[in-house]
Amino acid sequence: MFESAEIGHSIDKKTFREAMPKLREALLDLQYDLKEKADFPVLILIHGFDGAGRGETMNLINEWLDPRLIDTVAFAEANDDARARPWMWRYWMQLPAKGRIGMFFGSYYSDALFDRVFARSDRDALDKQIFDILRFERMLTMDGALVLKFWFHLTREQQHKRLKQMEKDPASSWRVTKTDWEHYERYDKIRKSAEHILRLTNTAAAPWVVVDGEDANYRSLTVGNTLLNAIRNRLAQAQGSKAELIDAPPLLAPIDNKLLLDTLQLDQSMDKAKYKAELEQLQGRLHRLTRHPRFAQHSLVLAFEGNDAAGKGGSIRRITQALDARRYRVVPIAAPTQEEKAKPWLWRFWRHVPGKGGITIFDRTWYGRVLVERVEGFAKEADWMRAYYEINDFEHQLSENGAVIVKFWLAISKEEQMARFKGREETGFKRFKITEEDWRNRDKWDAYKLAVSDMVDRTSTSKVPWTLVEANNKYYARIKILKTICDALEARLA
């Protein structure tokens, strides 16, 4: 991986001074074109050996470009907030918006590399982190992001010489830390693990660029020209020209027209007296489970989807009545804001992921991608088809971090929905609940039913299954939901 970076690349001062102004001007023009079109973000990852010019290059990029359009983030050790969530969470939170450049000094690659170097992980754990990274970068690039990854390289001898020179110079001695020398002592381990990581993550969509870090002029022009060509080529592509890879076979309706939702017995019965008795018992059970000492090592994510007027809001209220208000959040999901549209589509859900001991209740969820966006044509087929994979990956990461995820689809009949719509229109304090969109969705009842059945088939897993709730009777639905949550918590806390 590193042979070509060890043959002594260099650029003389005269050549550098002649090339630098034109390169700067071209990069700045491209940056403004990127801002103007705002079709995609650029993510630059800066990695390599200490003393190889990573910090100098990062500063140079900020000097050559308009820093107001660059989001520069230097990642240190994860804080308590980050450790309470999946390890990729803090990188999701810092992703640049479309039209902007994000520059990460250190990143998820640092976590994987130094966990292995300092024996905090074994080879299997490292490869698991690499697989997480591959899925993350695949999602970013499929969503349109331009990902540029730089490894600044030095030989062991070059690194030693560079650190000594910096220590002797009063202007740069402060840059050399105890950690730099600790890393130098582990040079061979870092090189071996870095080579393994780079080899497995050097993909066509997000390749590594290995840069000889000894000569500053060569290093600067190499990075500058790489940025120039990559951004220029992406801007030159026709809009929407990214490969529309579909992650699943074509979705066809069953030839006998029998769908999963057709098998539900929607008219379940429960009288008010039984409902009240069971509600009190289940709310007490839920309260105790969320205060269990072992729950501090977990979190609870509740995902509610269903037909319009199926009773999601009423069910959520019966849950929150049993919870400590300081420990839960209800997140209603509507159409994405402009800020959310500028980020990868799952970003707006990652931002609400609870830490350990926390509870988040989503009223509508990430499944809108394969429901409303599919049926209404808001997302291209390639985008909502790959969403099944990305959703499963998202939920897998949450579950691996200790989250108990419970997903509900509340189903009612078309006749029951009509009765509830009319009831809302006739009741003043409920009239706000009914909208033109609700009526329009009724016209696509069959399309939504097929989309829901496909959704369940492709995203109901052994760890994060769907619970289909027969919701014509609200009492029955609320009790089934509460019991399902309690059962899931008890199973995880056992």
Side-chain angles (χ1 to χ4, degrees):
M1 293 293 297
F2 304 127
E3 287 82 358
S4 291
E6 296 180 345
I7 60 177
H9 294 282
S10 64
I11 294 291
D12 62 77
K13 290 183 180 180
K14 182 176 182 294
T15 302
F16 177 76
R17 287 172 180 168
E18 290 176 351
M20 188 265 290
K22 294 180 180 178
L23 177 59
R24 250 183 108 165
E25 183 179 356
L27 279 170
L28 197 57
D29 287 342
L30 281 179
Q31 186 184 22
Y32 289 128
D33 287 344
L34 174 69
K35 173 181 178 292
E36 185 67 25
K37 291 187 177 181
D39 288 335
F40 62 92
V42 177
L43 179 61
I44 303 170
L45 306 185
I46 304 292
H47 288 278
F49 285 106
D50 299 316
R54 296 171 301 156
E56 293 93 328
T57 303
M58 182 183 69
N59 292 334
L60 190 68
I61 293 172
N62 274 302
E63 178 184 339
W64 284 3
L65 299 176
D66 186 339
R68 296 171 299 178
L69 303 177
I70 302 177
D71 304 314
T72 303
V73 186
F75 289 97
E77 291 291 323
N79 59 22
D80 291 343
D81 205 30
R83 282 192 292 268
R85 291 170 170 82
W87 77 287
M88 296 295 288
W89 173 81
R90 62 178 179 148
Y91 305 111
W92 271 94
M93 293 302 95
Q94 300 297 335
L95 289 175
K98 292 177 181 177
R100 296 185 63 84
I101 297 173
M103 187 157 49
F104 287 2
F105 186 80
S107 71
Y108 37 89
Y109 284 107
S110 302
D111 295 344
L113 175 61
F114 290 109
D115 280 352
R116 181 63 181 138
V117 168
F118 287 94
R120 295 190 293 262
S121 67
D122 57 19
R123 182 64 171 266
D124 288 342
L126 172 61
D127 286 346
K128 180 182 179 300
Q129 287 178 302
I130 289 172
F131 187 43
D132 289 342
I133 289 169
L134 287 169
R135 298 195 312 272
F136 177 61
E137 292 184 346
R138 180 184 183 281
M139 184 282 307
L140 292 181
T141 56
M142 289 298 295
D143 207 58
L146 176 60
V147 181
L148 302 171
K149 304 183 297 192
F150 293 97
W151 177 268
F152 293 83
H153 189 71
L154 291 174
T155 64
R156 185 184 183 90
E157 294 74 21
Q158 289 171 338
Q159 186 182 30
H160 184 270
K161 179 181 177 182
R162 174 71 169 151
L163 293 177
K164 284 293 187 181
Q165 287 176 340
M166 293 171 67
E167 272 191 332
K168 290 180 181 178
D169 186 346
S172 61
S173 60
W174 61 274
R175 293 178 179 270
V176 183
T177 66
K178 180 181 177 181
T179 300
D180 295 331
W181 285 112
E182 288 177 350
H183 289 174
Y184 169 73
E185 292 298 325
R186 292 170 173 82
Y187 177 93
D188 292 338
K189 289 184 177 180
I190 292 174
R191 180 184 175 121
K192 181 179 179 181
S193 295
E195 183 174 350
H196 179 70
I197 292 170
L198 267 63
R199 177 171 56 83
L200 294 183
T201 60
N202 188 48
T203 64
W208 280 97
V209 177
V210 179
V211 181
D212 184 343
E214 185 176 27
D215 182 78
N217 293 340
Y218 173 83
R219 182 178 69 218
S220 300
L221 289 185
T222 297
V223 173
N225 279 293
T226 300
L227 294 177
L228 179 71
N229 291 326
I231 298 174
R232 176 185 286 159
N233 290 342
R234 176 58 64 85
L235 285 170
Q237 291 177 6
Q239 188 174 4
S241 65
K242 65 178 184 290
E244 295 194 347
L245 177 63
I246 295 178
D247 291 318
L251 298 182
L252 302 175
I255 59 175
D256 62 357
N257 293 320
K258 186 176 183 179
L259 297 174
L260 179 64
L261 294 184
D262 294 329
T263 66
L264 297 179
Q265 300 297 318
L266 299 179
D267 290 313
Q268 301 290 333
S269 63
M270 178 173 288
D271 61 43
K272 191 171 185 179
K274 183 179 181 182
Y275 163 70
K276 284 189 173 182
E278 292 200 26
L279 178 66
E280 183 177 359
Q281 183 268 329
L282 286 167
Q283 286 180 330
R285 184 180 165 198
L286 177 59
H287 180 80
R288 290 189 295 273
L289 285 167
T290 56
R291 287 188 171 277
H292 194 287
R294 283 198 288 271
F295 184 68
Q297 299 304 313
H298 297 273
S299 60
L300 179 61
V301 176
L302 303 179
F304 281 86
E305 293 285 356
N307 298 118
D308 295 323
K312 295 182 295 296
S315 297
I316 291 170
R317 286 194 295 276
R318 272 64 184 183
I319 295 167
T320 58
Q321 288 168 0
L323 302 176
D324 184 337
R326 296 168 296 181
R327 302 179 67 184
Y328 76 83
R329 292 185 61 199
V330 177
V331 181
I333 299 299
T337 64
Q338 289 302 312
E339 179 190 21
E340 291 166 343
K341 288 179 179 179
K343 301 288 182 75
W345 74 276
L346 276 170
W347 176 83
R348 63 178 181 143
F349 305 106
W350 270 101
R351 69 194 300 200
H352 296 301
V353 167
K356 290 181 178 177
I359 301 167
T360 300
I361 305 171
F362 289 94
D363 184 355
R364 299 292 188 190
T365 70
W366 42 96
Y367 284 98
R369 187 72 155 187
V370 297
L371 294 174
V372 64
E373 293 187 40
R374 166 185 171 173
V375 173
E376 302 295 339
F378 298 148
K380 295 179 181 179
E381 181 181 10
D383 292 334
W384 61 256
M385 284 285 275
R386 67 182 171 86
Y388 296 117
Y389 176 91
E390 293 168 355
I391 286 169
N392 286 332
D393 180 42
F394 171 53
E395 293 176 353
H396 172 77
Q397 291 185 61
L398 299 188
S399 179
E400 287 289 293
N401 193 59
V404 179
I405 308 169
V406 192
K407 306 183 297 193
F408 298 102
W409 175 266
L410 278 66
I412 57 175
S413 67
K414 201 170 184 179
E415 296 74 22
E416 178 65 21
Q417 185 186 64
M418 176 60 78
R420 294 185 185 184
F421 277 11
K422 288 183 177 179
R424 288 179 174 184
E425 285 188 329
E426 293 167 2
T427 305
F429 62 86
K430 292 186 177 181
R431 199 169 294 141
F432 75 95
K433 294 185 177 183
I434 187 75
T435 66
E436 290 185 7
E437 184 179 350
D438 295 327
W439 288 108
R440 187 170 61 251
N441 289 343
R442 270 183 67 83
D443 295 335
K444 298 182 179 180
W445 183 275
D446 291 339
Y448 275 103
K449 189 164 66 170
L450 177 60
V452 172
S453 296
D454 289 337
M455 172 191 76
V456 174
D457 286 342
R458 291 176 180 270
T459 62
S460 192
T461 64
S462 58
K463 284 191 175 181
V464 191
W466 275 99
T467 298
L468 304 180
V469 181
E470 304 88 340
N472 275 5
N473 184 309
K474 292 183 179 181
Y475 295 155
Y476 175 87
R478 292 167 185 171
I479 294 304
K480 181 172 182 176
I481 288 167
L482 279 165
K483 187 176 186 304
T484 302
I485 297 168
C486 291
D487 288 348
L489 282 171
E490 284 182 348
R492 195 66 178 269
L493 299 179

